[in-house]
Amino acid sequence: MKLNVGCDITVRAESRCPIVAMLRPRSGLAQWLSSETYVFDPWVPTTEYVDTFGNLCQRMVVPAGEMRIRVEAVVETEDVLAVAPSASQSAVEQLPDDVLQFLLPSRYCPSDTMESRALEIAGAHAPGYPQVEAIRAWIQQHIEYRHGASDASTDATDTLDGGSGVCRDFAHVGIALVRSLKIPARMVVGYLHGLEPMDLHAWFEAWIDGRWYTFDATQAAPRGGRAVLAYGRDAADVAFISNYGPLETTRMTVWADIAPLPAEPFATSP
Amino acid sequence: MKLNVGCDITVRAESRCPIVAMLRPRSGLAQWLSSETYVFDPWVPTTEYVDTFGNLCQRMVVPAGEMRIRVEAVVETEDVLAVAPSASQSAVEQLPDDVLQFLLPSRYCPSDTMESRALEIAGAHAPGYPQVEAIRAWIQQHIEYRHGASDASTDATDTLDGGSGVCRDFAHVGIALVRSLKIPARMVVGYLHGLEPMDLHAWFEAWIDGRWYTFDATQAAPRGGRAVLAYGRDAADVAFISNYGPLETTRMTVWADIAPLPAEPFATSP
Amino acid sequence: MKLNVGCDITVRAESRCPIVAMLRPRSGLAQWLSSETYVFDPWVPTTEYVDTFGNLCQRMVVPAGEMRIRVEAVVETEDVLAVAPSASQSAVEQLPDDVLQFLLPSRYCPSDTMESRALEIAGAHAPGYPQVEAIRAWIQQHIEYRHGASDASTDATDTLDGGSGVCRDFAHVGIALVRSLKIPARMVVGYLHGLEPMDLHAWFEAWIDGRWYTFDATQAAPRGGRAVLAYGRDAADVAFISNYGPLETTRMTVWADIAPLPAEPFATSP
Amino acid sequence: MKLNVGCDITVRAESRCPIVAMLRPRSGLAQWLSSETYVFDPWVPTTEYVDTFGNLCQRMVVPAGEMRIRVEAVVETEDVLAVAPSASQSAVEQLPDDVLQFLLPSRYCPSDTMESRALEIAGAHAPGYPQVEAIRAWIQQHIEYRHGASDASTDATDTLDGGSGVCRDFAHVGIALVRSLKIPARMVVGYLHGLEPMDLHAWFEAWIDGRWYTFDATQAAPRGGRAVLAYGRDAADVAFISNYGPLETTRMTVWADIAPLPAEPFATSP
């Protein structure tokens, strides 16, 4: 399916504030970028690099005052998520070298403390997809989706204790529990078509039987229509804006719509 | 300055032909991508990766028959090239680790055989920018720009011997001579506003006094208005399409125009 | 100075246990490896890769029973640590791309919660080296070095609250506080000549005025004689052994001695 | 089998000469490093980095006069080379991203000009291992091993035309022919136990049916006992010393012996 995704953000800084943004999606295995725009006003010199996870990162300094950033992309992505109810856990010694880092605990996913909890939830299920799905479903049923229950310092333990959170917290709980079972898990941020209310979204992926599978504990059932902005160990790695100074988001609009079929796909731009 | 650059290519394959394309520009130090489109017909599954030079590479299999690929980008780039007539050569031991590879000979730039030739041309100039500029100017004055004088196997020695070539050959001669003087040099392919006749273009960069500078031996004077598609050791690394099977380009249009000022930069797409 | 560093570890596994070890030092800017051995018994097939931080990582599966691993290296390293009492903080926008990740919070260094604490401790000092040194000295004076006060899940907040810990905890507190001031900081594990009692050691580095400086909150004064095993965001990244299954260390000896001058440095091995 | 490999090199420079050496082997899939020494005299500050092929590279400046470098390693490696007479060619679209670069022509392997020659030699054989082996055997039978027939600028075309060369030339011919058939091939330099006369050696690997296989056109039959120093596209990438200034090798001894069984593998060094 073809999605038109994007967001329009206005930030305000008291004084010049360096930021690193992760707002440009990349084509990869999961999606193809047909088009994309990335504009901001006022204009400031901006550079871009690829981080260790393969994400495109934009560096700029927001000047004192307001700055508006608008990004938009048309992305070809899967309608239907791949599911594999019988896929087995990959043995640790079989994992690709670059997947190993997703077994390690991280800022918001202290998986080193989670094993007994994970076994309570998923121990009765077969190692691999069934365990991860059991964890995902448990979160969906037992953690309440509620704004204001968490902030930028809430980790998976806090959310398990508090019993509520938002998409990022759901993902952190999932990642922490899954990693504790020696299954690699990573954070994904991006867009989900049909999300209510529409916003930037977060979910997680787990490496099972030789590939990444998508899991989203905020949803009752597997659901395609996703466009990825960035991958990381947890939210610390994939903030859509990391600001190194005070910065206020004064306005933000997000969309993830079915892209209209172009009358003429090869039309010269006006 | 803001350029609208792009190309529209039709290829024909007798039978399915795997290709690697390098047609998606990246933001970096030299340019900022405001928008971009990458469409092709018929649709085939396509993946993308970052090569060891940092270029985005698209992998697909062209099916038997015709395929049309159209890419377009709006790029913020420099009007005027940086020049530094007095910049000194960086000592080899001061070069960053990742710049060292651009001292090595490569397929089309056998710099290991070029030192005496380079000294004839540039030996009277100060090491660094003056030597590179002397080489660039010498090529511009002594090599004739002529289509048909070279093909995909022509290297810098062939061009020096034959006395004529196209932009890619000019760049190869420049790179080979410059490297022989222990100055790192790399190939750049992309777009040049105002090029006559318009086409995809090639030039080179040399690392002098701690940064890359742009040199273009096809031009009488330094000239901005460039949009970069890819960097590499020579043309072998940066083919806009590397095809692994017979593939014919049946049509190709290239443009690099001043981008019209948008009435409303943040307009929602139609 | 030339150090002979090494460790001799015996581990015991009930059943086969995959591990990732980081026990092979690398030459870099800070040290030169003159010689090195890495032996283990029983022999098992072992591979090695470079992680995203540049560390050499060894992958093997410890079979059921005991395994002995002995590593040793002769390392040329600095007698005296570089100090720079007047070095200024690098502005975030001036940091190299690959240093930015060391500003992010991590598993044991929740720097997102530490800014006010860091300002209490170091706010009166000039940004840069003076602030980092103030933090280091504060830890050295206010945190009690005590075994048993912490475990593998103790983070910098726990240590600040509890008031005691070991070298790894001291480093985590330092890193967390320093990062909260927008100064990049990273974990280092390795050997320190003269450490009492001798053991594998941990300290931290901070990026100030364009380079990494070493800080060790367990020591009263700057002290050279260090050999680095690995760099990372915190202890999660640089465990000398990450085991993915139960594994007990039954014996461990560590040494970091002045290397004897060889009678004949180029002697053929016996 | 366990090999004790090494070389002892004396170089002489008229004036200080920056070099990049590739003399430190790495553990990987093909070998395990049990021990290693890397000493030189006089002492000069030396750094080390990992290049884009994963090789460890040592940077130093040889001072005016003589310098001696001695490296030695004990390497666990395969007695017997893996052969796979029926392994099929991997389709280009199935190649891992990082293997694609080994399809490109390079300085000494102008594979873009070799396809008809490769088909003459190997066209009657099945694509994959049989074709590569046919090429290897053809080189072994038709190119004469002769010192002095080639120099640092000799490429695969020169060697095919001249009909003689040394191990590096044999490898270049093999790589160039193999790549022209759309089979990835890379250069390997290292040690071969039993080589006559003993010297640093070069051979090549080809990617067939999902993995690298070793081919050595200087040998009549597959032969194990190899220790790898470096991988690259061709000799340009893997010079054991790249010197950026005049440098003469005045003495060089190489060895690759069966390592004696240590009386006590965990013995403390004297």
Side-chain angles (χ1 to χ4, degrees):
Chain A
M1 80 195 295
K2 211 166 217 160
L3 293 180
N4 180 321
V5 299
C7 61
D8 193 333
I9 304 169
T10 303
V11 292
R12 167 176 288 283
E14 288 303 301
S15 56
R16 57 199 302 281
C17 175
I19 66 170
V20 178
M22 300 175 83
L23 288 168
R24 198 188 304 269
R26 257 192 64 196
S27 288
L29 292 174
Q31 63 190 13
W32 173 259
L33 235 72
S34 299
S35 77
E36 185 217 339
T37 65
Y38 198 126
V39 292
F40 43 89
D41 183 54
W43 169 258
V44 291
T46 303
T47 62
E48 191 160 335
Y49 70 98
V50 180
D51 71 11
T52 60
F53 303 101
N55 303 305
L56 295 170
C57 303
Q58 300 84 45
R59 300 181 65 171
M60 62 178 83
V61 179
V62 176
E66 282 210 333
M67 183 177 217
R68 182 173 170 194
I69 303 176
R70 186 179 189 283
V71 295
E72 186 168 28
V74 176
V75 176
E76 186 70 38
T77 187
E78 294 172 314
D79 297 43
V80 176
L81 282 191
V83 296
S86 61
S88 297
Q89 181 166 355
S90 301
V92 170
E93 62 264 39
Q94 303 297 340
L95 298 175
D97 293 338
D98 57 359
V99 169
L100 284 172
Q101 64 183 315
F102 298 106
L103 285 174
L104 300 174
S106 58
R107 169 64 184 93
Y108 301 108
C109 304
S111 47
D112 48 300
T113 66
M114 295 269 170
E115 192 184 359
S116 60
R117 195 70 191 265
L119 288 173
E120 274 170 43
I121 294 169
H125 295 263
Y129 200 97
Q131 284 187 337
V132 180
E133 172 54 22
I135 287 168
R136 191 208 64 76
W138 183 91
I139 297 167
Q140 209 252 324
Q141 288 151 23
H142 293 83
I143 307 285
E144 182 194 1
Y145 190 94
R146 187 149 60 84
H147 277 278
S150 58
D151 63 22
S153 291
T154 304
D155 71 11
T157 303
D158 299 329
T159 301
L160 277 172
D161 290 350
S164 58
V166 294
C167 58
R168 134 191 181 123
D169 305 305
F170 281 48
H172 286 154
V173 172
I175 292 167
L177 292 168
V178 168
R179 282 186 195 156
S180 77
L181 300 175
K182 305 179 191 63
I183 299 176
R186 64 179 180 183
M187 185 85 169
V188 192
V189 292
Y191 304 91
L192 171 60
H193 173 59
L195 186 67
E196 282 287 340
M198 181 49 59
D199 203 348
L200 286 174
H201 191 49
W203 61 91
F204 71 102
E205 292 184 351
W207 181 273
I208 305 167
D209 196 20
R211 55 160 286 187
W212 291 109
Y213 286 94
T214 295
F215 294 89
D216 187 341
T218 69
Q219 303 297 312
R223 184 166 172 177
R226 294 167 190 273
V228 175
L229 274 171
Y231 298 99
R233 275 157 66 171
D234 64 22
D237 295 327
V238 295
F240 68 90
I241 294 181
S242 294
N243 50 301
Y244 296 98
L247 190 77
E248 187 193 356
T249 300
T250 56
R251 202 178 65 91
M252 180 158 169
T253 316
V254 179
W255 60 98
D257 305 319
I258 304 287
L261 280 183
E264 160 46 313
F266 294 113
T268 314
S269 58
Chain B
M1 79 195 296
K2 210 166 216 160
L3 293 180
N4 180 321
V5 299
C7 61
D8 192 333
I9 305 170
T10 302
V11 292
R12 166 176 288 282
E14 288 302 302
S15 56
R16 58 199 302 281
C17 175
I19 66 170
V20 178
M22 300 175 82
L23 288 167
R24 196 185 309 265
R26 258 193 62 196
S27 287
L29 292 174
Q31 64 191 10
W32 173 259
L33 234 72
S34 300
S35 76
E36 185 216 340
T37 65
Y38 198 125
V39 292
F40 44 89
D41 183 57
W43 169 259
V44 291
T46 304
T47 61
E48 192 160 334
Y49 69 99
V50 179
D51 72 10
T52 60
F53 302 102
N55 302 306
L56 294 170
C57 302
Q58 301 83 43
R59 299 182 66 172
M60 62 178 84
V61 178
V62 175
E66 282 210 333
M67 182 178 218
R68 183 173 168 192
I69 302 175
R70 187 178 189 283
V71 295
E72 186 168 27
V74 176
V75 176
E76 186 71 36
T77 186
E78 295 172 315
D79 297 43
V80 176
L81 282 190
V83 296
S86 61
S88 297
Q89 181 167 354
S90 301
V92 169
E93 62 265 38
Q94 303 296 340
L95 296 175
D97 292 337
D98 58 359
V99 169
L100 285 171
Q101 65 181 318
F102 298 105
L103 285 173
L104 300 174
S106 57
R107 168 64 185 94
Y108 301 108
C109 304
S111 47
D112 48 299
T113 66
M114 294 269 171
E115 190 183 358
S116 61
R117 195 68 190 269
L119 288 173
E120 276 171 41
I121 294 169
H125 296 262
Y129 199 98
Q131 283 187 339
V132 180
E133 172 56 21
I135 286 167
R136 192 208 62 77
W138 183 91
I139 297 167
Q140 209 251 326
Q141 289 151 24
H142 293 83
I143 307 285
E144 182 195 0
Y145 190 94
R146 186 149 61 83
H147 277 278
S150 59
D151 62 23
S153 291
T154 303
D155 72 10
T157 304
D158 299 329
T159 301
L160 277 171
D161 290 349
S164 58
V166 295
C167 59
R168 135 191 182 121
D169 305 304
F170 281 49
H172 285 154
V173 172
I175 292 166
L177 292 168
V178 167
R179 282 186 194 157
S180 78
L181 299 176
K182 304 180 192 59
I183 299 175
R186 65 178 179 182
M187 185 86 170
V188 193
V189 292
Y191 302 90
L192 171 59
H193 173 60
L195 185 67
E196 282 286 341
M198 180 49 60
D199 203 348
L200 287 174
H201 192 49
W203 61 91
F204 71 102
E205 293 184 351
W207 181 273
I208 304 166
D209 198 19
R211 57 160 285 187
W212 291 109
Y213 286 94
T214 295
F215 294 88
D216 186 341
T218 69
Q219 302 296 312
R223 183 166 172 176
R226 293 167 191 273
V228 175
L229 275 171
Y231 299 98
R233 274 157 66 170
D234 64 24
D237 295 327
V238 294
F240 67 91
I241 293 181
S242 293
N243 50 303
Y244 297 97
L247 190 78
E248 189 193 355
T249 301
T250 57
R251 203 179 65 91
M252 179 159 171
T253 317
V254 179
W255 59 98
D257 305 320
I258 303 287
L261 279 183
E264 161 46 313
F266 294 113
T268 314
S269 59
Chain C
M1 80 196 294
K2 210 165 216 160
L3 294 179
N4 181 321
V5 298
C7 61
D8 193 333
I9 304 170
T10 303
V11 291
R12 167 175 288 282
E14 288 303 301
S15 55
R16 56 199 303 281
C17 174
I19 66 169
V20 178
M22 301 175 82
L23 288 168
R24 198 189 302 271
R26 258 193 63 196
S27 287
L29 292 175
Q31 64 189 12
W32 172 259
L33 233 73
S34 298
S35 77
E36 184 217 339
T37 65
Y38 198 126
V39 292
F40 44 89
D41 183 54
W43 169 259
V44 292
T46 304
T47 61
E48 191 160 335
Y49 70 98
V50 180
D51 72 10
T52 60
F53 302 102
N55 303 305
L56 294 170
C57 304
Q58 300 85 44
R59 299 181 66 172
M60 60 179 85
V61 178
V62 176
E66 282 210 332
M67 183 177 217
R68 182 172 169 195
I69 303 176
R70 187 180 189 282
V71 295
E72 186 168 28
V74 176
V75 175
E76 185 70 39
T77 186
E78 294 172 315
D79 298 41
V80 177
L81 282 191
V83 296
S86 61
S88 298
Q89 180 167 355
S90 300
V92 170
E93 61 264 40
Q94 303 297 337
L95 298 175
D97 293 338
D98 57 359
V99 169
L100 285 171
Q101 64 182 317
F102 297 105
L103 285 174
L104 300 175
S106 57
R107 169 66 184 94
Y108 300 107
C109 304
S111 47
D112 48 300
T113 66
M114 295 269 172
E115 192 183 359
S116 60
R117 196 69 191 266
L119 288 173
E120 275 169 43
I121 295 169
H125 296 263
Y129 199 97
Q131 284 187 338
V132 180
E133 173 53 22
I135 287 167
R136 192 207 63 77
W138 183 92
I139 297 168
Q140 209 252 325
Q141 289 151 22
H142 293 83
I143 307 284
E144 181 193 2
Y145 190 94
R146 188 150 58 85
H147 277 279
S150 59
D151 63 22
S153 291
T154 304
D155 72 11
T157 303
D158 299 329
T159 301
L160 277 171
D161 290 352
S164 59
V166 294
C167 59
R168 135 192 182 122
D169 305 304
F170 281 48
H172 285 155
V173 172
I175 292 167
L177 292 168
V178 167
R179 282 186 195 155
S180 77
L181 299 176
K182 304 179 192 64
I183 298 176
R186 66 178 179 181
M187 184 86 169
V188 192
V189 291
Y191 304 90
L192 171 59
H193 172 59
L195 186 66
E196 283 286 343
M198 180 51 60
D199 203 348
L200 287 175
H201 192 48
W203 60 91
F204 72 101
E205 292 184 352
W207 181 272
I208 306 165
D209 197 19
R211 56 158 285 188
W212 292 109
Y213 286 94
T214 294
F215 295 87
D216 187 342
T218 68
Q219 303 297 311
R223 183 166 173 178
R226 292 167 192 273
V228 176
L229 274 172
Y231 299 99
R233 275 156 68 170
D234 64 24
D237 295 327
V238 295
F240 67 91
I241 294 181
S242 295
N243 50 302
Y244 296 98
L247 190 78
E248 189 193 355
T249 300
T250 57
R251 205 179 64 93
M252 180 159 169
T253 317
V254 179
W255 60 96
D257 306 319
I258 304 287
L261 278 183
E264 159 48 315
F266 294 114
T268 314
S269 58
Chain D
M1 78 195 295
K2 212 166 215 161
L3 293 179
N4 180 321
V5 298
C7 61
D8 192 332
I9 304 170
T10 304
V11 292
R12 166 175 289 282
E14 288 303 301
S15 56
R16 57 198 303 281
C17 174
I19 66 169
V20 178
M22 301 175 82
L23 287 167
R24 196 185 309 264
R26 256 193 65 195
S27 287
L29 292 175
Q31 63 189 11
W32 173 259
L33 233 73
S34 299
S35 77
E36 185 217 339
T37 65
Y38 198 126
V39 293
F40 44 89
D41 182 56
W43 169 259
V44 292
T46 304
T47 62
E48 192 160 335
Y49 69 98
V50 179
D51 72 10
T52 60
F53 302 102
N55 304 305
L56 294 170
C57 302
Q58 301 84 44
R59 301 182 64 172
M60 60 179 85
V61 178
V62 176
E66 281 210 333
M67 181 176 220
R68 183 172 168 194
I69 302 176
R70 188 179 188 282
V71 295
E72 187 168 26
V74 176
V75 175
E76 185 70 37
T77 186
E78 295 172 314
D79 298 43
V80 176
L81 282 190
V83 296
S86 61
S88 298
Q89 180 166 354
S90 301
V92 169
E93 62 265 37
Q94 303 297 338
L95 297 174
D97 293 338
D98 57 0
V99 169
L100 285 171
Q101 64 182 318
F102 297 106
L103 285 173
L104 301 175
S106 57
R107 170 64 184 94
Y108 300 107
C109 304
S111 48
D112 49 300
T113 67
M114 295 270 172
E115 190 184 358
S116 61
R117 196 68 191 268
L119 288 173
E120 275 170 42
I121 295 169
H125 296 263
Y129 199 97
Q131 284 188 337
V132 180
E133 172 55 21
I135 286 168
R136 192 208 63 78
W138 183 92
I139 297 167
Q140 209 253 325
Q141 289 151 23
H142 293 83
I143 307 284
E144 183 194 1
Y145 191 94
R146 187 150 59 83
H147 278 278
S150 59
D151 63 21
S153 292
T154 304
D155 72 11
T157 304
D158 300 329
T159 301
L160 277 172
D161 290 350
S164 58
V166 294
C167 58
R168 132 190 184 124
D169 305 304
F170 281 48
H172 286 154
V173 173
I175 293 167
L177 291 168
V178 168
R179 282 185 194 156
S180 78
L181 298 176
K182 304 178 193 62
I183 298 176
R186 65 179 180 181
M187 186 85 169
V188 192
V189 292
Y191 303 90
L192 172 59
H193 172 59
L195 186 67
E196 283 285 343
M198 181 49 60
D199 203 348
L200 287 174
H201 192 48
W203 60 90
F204 71 102
E205 292 184 352
W207 181 273
I208 305 166
D209 198 19
R211 57 160 285 188
W212 291 108
Y213 286 94
T214 295
F215 295 88
D216 186 341
T218 69
Q219 302 297 311
R223 185 167 171 175
R226 293 166 190 274
V228 175
L229 274 171
Y231 299 98
R233 276 158 65 171
D234 64 23
D237 296 327
V238 294
F240 67 91
I241 295 181
S242 294
N243 51 303
Y244 297 98
L247 190 78
E248 189 192 354
T249 301
T250 58
R251 202 179 67 92
M252 179 159 171
T253 316
V254 179
W255 60 97
D257 304 320
I258 304 287
L261 280 183
E264 162 42 316
F266 294 113
T268 314
S269 59

